[in-house]
Amino acid sequence: MEDVLDCNSQEMEKYLRYVSHKDFISKCVRHGIVPEGFKINWNIQIDCSDEILNKCEKIKQDASVKLMELTLVACEEKINKLRSDVCVEDLNNDDHKLFSKRKLAELTQKKNEKFYKLLNCKLDFLSSLVTIDNFQESSIQMDGNCFYRCIAKEIYNNDNKHEIVRQKLITI
């Protein structure tokens, strides 16, 4: 099959990768999932109130989403450029259609597997709480956020990250 394809098959393959990448990031944005590559790992290095910690986490989350949205724009620009680089005759060629269909299906399957893995990670922490053996008693601030604080303590080992847990559970 590859013998049949000419030099534009490289542009075609690149085009299909960008289409697949754009689709993956779009799904993540729609479902409120930030893949590791877009997460901002900065943490405040001084003692501060829960309110400030929560504001910092919100800013990091918002910035990560903005980076994803900007990446979508960049993908769209690249897709349009590559679309013009791939000849119309190539797009209409039966061999290229078959190649494109197979390659896009392969890329989409890989991206979907990654997406569903990320989606399932949102709830994976709950599976660690299934057996009573995994529980330990902790003192949690009773401020109306105690449920989310307990989950944050389990996931992040820090009950001050309760707002992150609340936001993630709300968007599921």
Side-chain angles (χ1 to χ4, degrees):
M1 169 60 101
E2 292 197 17
D3 298 5
V4 178
L5 301 176
D6 63 13
C7 63
N8 277 341
S9 65
Q10 291 176 339
E11 285 84 11
M12 177 92 59
E13 193 167 342
K14 191 183 290 187
Y15 167 81
L16 295 172
R17 280 196 315 269
Y18 274 96
V19 168
S20 174
H21 193 61
K22 180 184 169 213
D23 181 56
F24 171 73
I25 295 172
S26 295
K27 283 180 184 177
C28 289
V29 169
R30 277 195 310 274
H31 290 353
I33 296 171
V34 178
E36 284 300 318
F38 287 98
K39 286 184 181 174
I40 298 173
N41 293 318
W42 175 87
N43 288 308
I44 194 161
Q45 299 296 314
I46 57 174
D47 288 333
C48 58
S49 67
D50 288 349
E51 181 182 352
I52 291 175
L53 283 174
N54 291 336
K55 284 181 181 180
C56 288
E57 291 302 321
K58 174 103 173 80
I59 289 168
K60 286 173 25 180
Q61 176 74 17
D62 292 347
S64 295
V65 171
K66 290 289 183 196
L67 289 170
M68 291 169 63
E69 290 169 350
L70 189 57
T71 301
L72 286 173
V73 171
C75 280
E76 189 62 39
E77 288 176 0
K78 189 68 173 176
I79 288 167
N80 289 334
K81 167 93 172 75
L82 288 167
R83 189 179 292 136
S84 68
D85 289 349
V86 176
C87 297
V88 175
E89 300 85 43
D90 288 342
L91 291 173
N92 292 328
N93 179 305
D94 287 339
D95 292 326
H96 277 291
K97 284 181 183 177
L98 182 59
F99 170 79
S100 298
K101 192 174 186 176
R102 286 181 181 165
K103 187 67 179 175
L104 190 57
E106 174 189 319
L107 291 169
T108 301
Q109 180 182 353
K110 287 179 185 178
K111 294 289 185 176
N112 281 341
E113 287 170 5
K114 185 175 180 181
F115 171 75
Y116 288 114
K117 185 177 177 184
L118 286 169
L119 188 60
N120 289 332
C121 282
K122 284 181 128 180
L123 293 176
D124 275 351
F125 67 89
L126 291 177
S127 65
S128 69
L129 301 177
V130 172
T131 64
I132 197 72
D133 299 335
N134 292 338
F135 286 98
Q136 66 184 52
E137 191 174 323
S138 294
S139 179
I140 298 289
Q141 183 180 344
M142 294 185 290
D143 63 350
N145 292 310
C146 52
F147 172 72
Y148 300 104
R149 285 183 181 280
C150 290
I151 295 172
K153 177 111 178 167
E154 179 67 25
I155 298 170
Y156 302 109
N157 204 22
N158 182 348
D159 67 309
N160 289 329
K161 295 189 175 190
H162 63 89
E163 190 61 35
I164 297 169
V165 172
R166 181 186 294 269
Q167 289 302 318
K168 286 186 177 186
L169 289 173
I170 288 170
T171 60
I172 293 177

